[in-house]
Amino acid sequence: MQFKDFGLENKLMSTVEHLGFTAPTEIQQQAIPAAMQGHDLIASSKTGSGKTLAFIIPALQRLSKNRALSKRDPRVVILTPTRELAKQVFSQLRLFTSNTQFKAVLILGGENFNDQVKVLEKEPHFIVATPGRLADHLTQGHFYLNGLELLILDEADRMLDLGFAKELSQINKAADHRKRQTLLFSATLEHAQVNDFAKELLKKPKRIAIGGAFTEHKDINKRFYLADNLNHKESLLKYILSNETYQQVIIFTATRSDTERLANMLISEDLNAVALSGELNQGQRNQIMESFSKGQNKILVTTDLASRGLDLVNVSMVINFDMPKHAEEFIHRIGRTGRAGSKGDAIAFVGPKDWLSFKNVEGLLEQTIKFDQVDGLKAKFKGLKPKVIKTKIDSTKAKKETKKQVPKKKKAPKKVFHAAKDVGDMPVIKRKKTLSAEQLENSDLDEVE
Ligand code: ADP
Ligand code: MG
């Protein structure tokens, strides 16, 4: 199948050709015609399989073919969970709109509010945005959505995870009319939360799933290493970075503060590393992404802020220095490599604190994972079995109790809980109602304690 078989409008078709795309990917083959027929979609396919064009192309086709419902209101709104991803989607969209009469604008948190008011006054046809800031402008009446034809949610599940349900509902309600079409895209759309939300937002949606969300990504070679502690992880990291070949690497850590610390450690080893986290201001974030995407840095140390959607062609290796708290972020993190048919390596370190997350990932991938080893850096840690932990604690408790004779009040259950916490860092999402939209947009995985 070829793009020309879709019957795209001439100008759009010539842009597709001009950009060098000939054969649509599987998700594009299915999602483009379905969206062109006007269906609402819940569409998933693996990372790096071309979902962005699967929504940009039908959006442009619709705008070229249909008359606008309103002269002033935006016709298409595309929402993404992070500013970095919104920028990337915007620049892809611009490739398609720059030779048309359609105006596209980018509305992000962390940037000047009044400048955005002026931009919105120019009545753009397309808005690419992060949900918090867009909802703020909507609340203040800086634009209306009565004429909205297409609402597109890229990485929809992540926006819900981050607590944007309220903003998304508000945007949905402001554009509540029969002619509106809604498209949800992600590599992972199998949450119950997404289904509930889809009921609110979509009308008789068509489901398109290319492969199961967690089926093996053949272009990504996964390796797992056991690690005893932080020092051990650092030694493994140094070993891998100095003994393996790679173009660019993304390293994921659990918290914002770790990004900086680890990047500094790598810099002191003469490695060209830079840290990106939600702690930085937007100017710094932009600068870091720009220099990394230009190849000026070889290694980006970051959090789940960068786990979703980013398409950086030279990233040939992803390292999970810490396992992600949410298992599906593993799929997205490793999906920063092995994109559009290229190959990539995905490495993960699994220490005692990562164990529960690791087991969740193993469950999600539906496979038993074997560990690799580096000679001279073998881990003593062999993993934890829940039953063994409990038995061990129980016997320790028994010993102590016999020794002391007068047992302290109910100490044992506390110990069991404490051990479980050490093993796995059970995620507790605390942000949902407490943070403002602006804070939400500044988010990475520090939501988890
Ligand atoms: P996803 O959203 O599924 O993770 P992207 O939309 O970011 O994937 O696309 C990944 C890469 O594939 C991008 O660099 C994009 O330009 C490229 N790509 C998209 N569609 C095609 C196609 N039909 N043929 C070749 N490359 C494509
Ligand atoms: Mg994408």
Side-chain angles (χ1 to χ4, degrees), residues 317-331:
M317 183 184 276
V318 169
I319 301 178
N320 288 272
F321 188 81
D322 302 304
M323 289 294 282
K325 301 288 194 299
H326 299 272
E328 69 275 9
E329 285 329 291
F330 184 81
I331 311 276

Side-chain angles (χ1 to χ4, degrees), residues 96-156:
F96 285 86
T97 55
S98 55
N99 66 342
T100 69
Q101 84 276 24
F102 299 122
K103 254 188 298 205
V105 300
L106 183 62
I107 302 289
L108 304 179
E111 300 200 339
N112 188 291
F113 197 84
N114 291 329
D115 289 350
Q116 292 176 347
V117 175
K118 284 181 205 135
V119 158
L120 289 168
E121 277 167 3
K122 293 192 177 139
E123 298 168 1
H125 304 93
F126 284 85
I127 300 178
V128 181
T130 44
R133 179 58 71 87
L134 195 69
D136 285 346
H137 284 293
L138 191 61
T139 306
Q140 299 194 21
H142 297 144
F143 71 104
Y144 295 92
L145 288 174
N146 300 315
L148 188 74
E149 291 166 63
L150 259 168
L151 176 61
I152 299 168
L153 309 185
D154 193 17
E155 308 289 348

Side-chain angles (χ1 to χ4, degrees), residues 19 51 65-66 87 118 178 245 272 290 299 309 314 386 388 410 414 435:
L19 293 172
K51 291 187 283 297
K65 286 274 168 192
N66 293 9
K87 285 185 111 185
K118 284 181 205 135
R178 268 191 314 120
T245 51
N272 181 356
E290 203 182 313
I299 302 166
N314 293 318
V388 175
K410 299 253 175 204
K414 199 176 164 197
L435 299 187

Side-chain angles (χ1 to χ4, degrees), residues 360-373:
N360 289 338
V361 167
E362 197 177 40
L364 202 62
L365 297 172
E366 292 179 342
Q367 48 184 246
T368 310
I369 290 165
K370 292 212 174 69
F371 289 97
D372 281 77
Q373 281 181 10

